[in-house]
Amino acid sequence: EMPFSCRKGVCHACLLRAVSGEPTADSQQDVEPLLRDKDYFLPCKCVPVTDMALALPDKRDYYSGALVSERDDSVAGCCTLTLVPFDAEALSACELLAIRHPDGTYQRFAVAEQHDNGDIRLQIDNSADDHVSAWLYGEAAIGDELQVQAVAADDSVSNVHATEKTDNDGGQVCSAHNSAAIAPDQEMWAALDEGRLLGVIMNDFYTIVYDDPKLAPFFEGITKQRSVEKQFLFMRQLFTGEKVYFGDRPKNAHHWMVISDELFDYRERLMEQCLRKHNLPEHLIKRWLDIDESFRKDIVKSEAIPRIVNGVEMPLDGFGEVELEIGSLCDGCSREVMEGETVRYHLRLGTIYCQSCASE
């Protein structure tokens, strides 16, 4: 049994690794180099030329999140960062840690110390001649989230560019190695009846939201069905790890929305009531709300911020055109829009429209 979606090599949901045998070049073309070196490939694009033995991905091979909890600059020309991994098991007893820059490049660093609780200490030398080290030394601050991966001592992880597709926030989408900081939750997914109850909850919740005078203005011009679909896919990806969500990250998706802590709390109370109404167990309700809380820093703000597209700040309103680097769905007619097509997109909302809808 293996996950799959597009069957065209776009979504990367079917990513597997070859235990023996040779993956073809076509099947590894868009796979991130660190995974390619470990014989990961896309079976939907692979016509084998040798016998192959296959295995599901190992989560220890994926990037995951780690929070900068401490920074020490007491030694001139060097800083010490303490990282709290979101998935301590995947980084347990690692000697080398690969850290990815927002532009897709990465560098490996020797682990100076790993505490019993999983926290990792790294020393970043300002004299290092790679830009990942310079970025960490100059910009890494307490509270920042870094994308990290444990690396075997014999792995080749020098500072090279990864051939990755990126989302509009400069982060990778669709490749399975870009696991969210939130680990998949099989218990939650089972309680949601493999998605059936999740659909019911999302529909009920957005029915409430679209009728609520405090929240409805944020969804003007967007159908309830579209909101339900996007949030369903976003939550499904969080709970299962399947790469099924192709929208913006929360920070980009909410960039124009001025949302206070009080309004964020208000929305969470409505969600809590909805989850309780549908008899989700109390410990899973708390787990769900903890996930929502982790996005507070990306959503709450006192004024609108620009949407970031490929590292560039965009105007807060209006339309633009862009050639898609990865397939998506038209927000007007819901048809599939293929990689390479030019679409019209709303700078504030991030909605995209195929050529047919854009001309109407």
Side-chain angles (χ1 to χ4, degrees), residues 319-344:
F319 286 88
E321 287 193 349
V322 65
E323 182 179 303
L324 288 185
E325 293 185 354
I326 192 164
S328 187
L329 295 176
C330 173
D331 286 293
C333 65
S334 296
R335 82 163 178 85
E336 185 177 11
V337 186
M338 304 304 294
E339 176 183 349
E341 286 192 49
T342 298
V343 297
R344 188 170 173 81

Side-chain angles (χ1 to χ4, degrees), residues 155-221:
D155 277 345
S156 176
V157 193
S158 59
N159 184 30
V160 297
H161 280 273
T163 56
E164 300 170 346
K165 290 179 171 62
T166 60
D167 66 15
N168 291 322
D169 199 21
Q172 183 200 357
V173 295
C174 298
S175 293
H177 77 277
N178 186 32
S179 56
I182 300 163
D185 191 331
Q186 294 181 352
E187 182 186 10
M188 178 75 80
W189 192 239
L192 293 171
D193 194 15
E194 305 295 322
R196 185 198 65 80
L197 182 57
L198 176 61
V200 173
I201 290 172
M202 289 293 97
N203 189 70
D204 191 14
F205 176 71
Y206 279 99
T207 297
I208 296 170
V209 166
Y210 272 67
D211 289 336
D212 188 281
K214 294 182 179 179
L215 300 176
F218 292 102
F219 297 90
E220 184 178 350

Side-chain angles (χ1 to χ4, degrees), residues 270-329:
L270 293 181
M271 175 59 77
E272 183 176 2
Q273 293 167 10
C274 190
L275 296 176
R276 194 163 284 119
K277 171 184 173 182
H278 292 284
N279 300 313
L280 197 67
E282 287 297 319
H283 71 289
L284 293 182
I285 292 177
K286 181 180 184 304
R287 201 178 296 172
W288 183 308
L289 297 177
D290 285 345
I291 291 173
D292 280 356
E293 181 63 31
S294 70
F295 295 113
R296 181 186 292 266
K297 63 181 175 61
D298 292 326
I299 295 173
V300 171
K301 52 191 170 298
S302 58
E303 60 182 14
I305 60 175
R307 185 166 178 263
I308 307 299
V309 179
N310 296 326
V312 179
E313 291 188 0
M314 305 301 296
L316 286 172
D317 218 331
F319 286 88
E321 287 193 349
V322 65
E323 182 179 303
L324 288 185
E325 293 185 354
I326 192 164
S328 187
L329 295 176

Side-chain angles (χ1 to χ4, degrees), residues 4-265:
F4 65 91
S5 183
C6 73
R7 307 186 187 194
K8 300 175 183 177
V10 174
C11 71
H12 288 214
C14 65
L15 189 73
L16 294 179
R17 56 191 175 97
V19 177
S20 65
E22 293 294 328
T24 61
D26 284 348
S27 69
Q28 289 190 304
Q29 182 176 356
D30 292 324
V31 177
E32 188 270 318
L34 196 58
L35 293 181
R36 195 163 59 231
D37 291 343
K38 297 180 180 180
D39 292 324
Y40 280 81
F41 70 103
L42 299 173
C44 68
K45 298 183 68 176
C46 184
V47 179
V49 294
T50 66
D51 290 342
M52 299 176 70
L54 312 178
L56 292 170
D58 186 334
K59 72 175 184 177
R60 292 171 298 182
D61 293 333
Y62 296 171
Y63 279 99
S64 60
L67 197 69
V68 179
S69 64
E70 297 179 25
R71 176 177 175 130
D72 183 355
D73 291 285
S74 59
V75 178
C78 176
C79 74
T80 300
L81 302 179
T82 300
L83 308 182
V84 180
F86 290 105
D87 187 351
E89 181 182 352
L91 300 179
S92 61
C94 70
E95 298 179 0
L96 292 174
L97 195 68
I99 300 181
R100 183 168 57 190
H101 188 277
D103 68 4
T105 61
Y106 47 82
Q107 180 63 285
R108 64 179 179 181
F109 299 88
V111 173
E113 183 180 2
Q114 187 163 25
H115 300 160
D116 292 339
N117 64 0
D119 291 2
I120 293 173
R121 290 179 63 245
L122 302 174
Q123 291 184 334
I124 310 299
D125 189 346
N126 189 35
S127 63
D129 59 358
D130 69 279
H131 83 289
V132 179
S133 296
W135 166 64
L136 290 172
Y137 182 85
E139 299 183 30
I142 294 174
D144 285 353
E145 181 183 331
L146 305 179
Q147 289 293 303
V148 301
Q149 180 184 355
V151 181
D154 58 352
D155 277 345
S156 176
V157 193
S158 59
N159 184 30
V160 297
H161 280 273
T163 56
E164 300 170 346
K165 290 179 171 62
T166 60
D167 66 15
N168 291 322
D169 199 21
Q172 183 200 357
V173 295
C174 298
S175 293
H177 77 277
N178 186 32
S179 56
I182 300 163
D185 191 331
Q186 294 181 352
E187 182 186 10
M188 178 75 80
W189 192 239
L192 293 171
D193 194 15
E194 305 295 322
R196 185 198 65 80
L197 182 57
L198 176 61
V200 173
I201 290 172
M202 289 293 97
N203 189 70
D204 191 14
F205 176 71
Y206 279 99
T207 297
I208 296 170
V209 166
Y210 272 67
D211 289 336
D212 188 281
K214 294 182 179 179
L215 300 176
F218 292 102
F219 297 90
E220 184 178 350
I222 303 173
T223 66
K224 187 186 79 169
Q225 179 182 355
R226 191 63 174 157
S227 295
V228 169
E229 289 173 351
K230 285 197 171 184
Q231 191 65 11
F232 176 91
L233 292 174
F234 181 71
M235 299 306 294
R236 175 179 170 179
Q237 179 162 308
L238 289 182
F239 294 145
T240 68
E242 301 171 17
K243 303 303 173 183
V244 295
Y245 175 73
F246 299 100
D248 270 338
R249 293 180 177 183
K251 185 174 183 179
N252 248 10
H254 297 81
H255 76 100
W256 62 275
M257 302 181 188
V258 178
I259 297 176
S260 64
D261 281 303
E262 291 75 18
L263 188 59
F264 188 93
D265 292 339

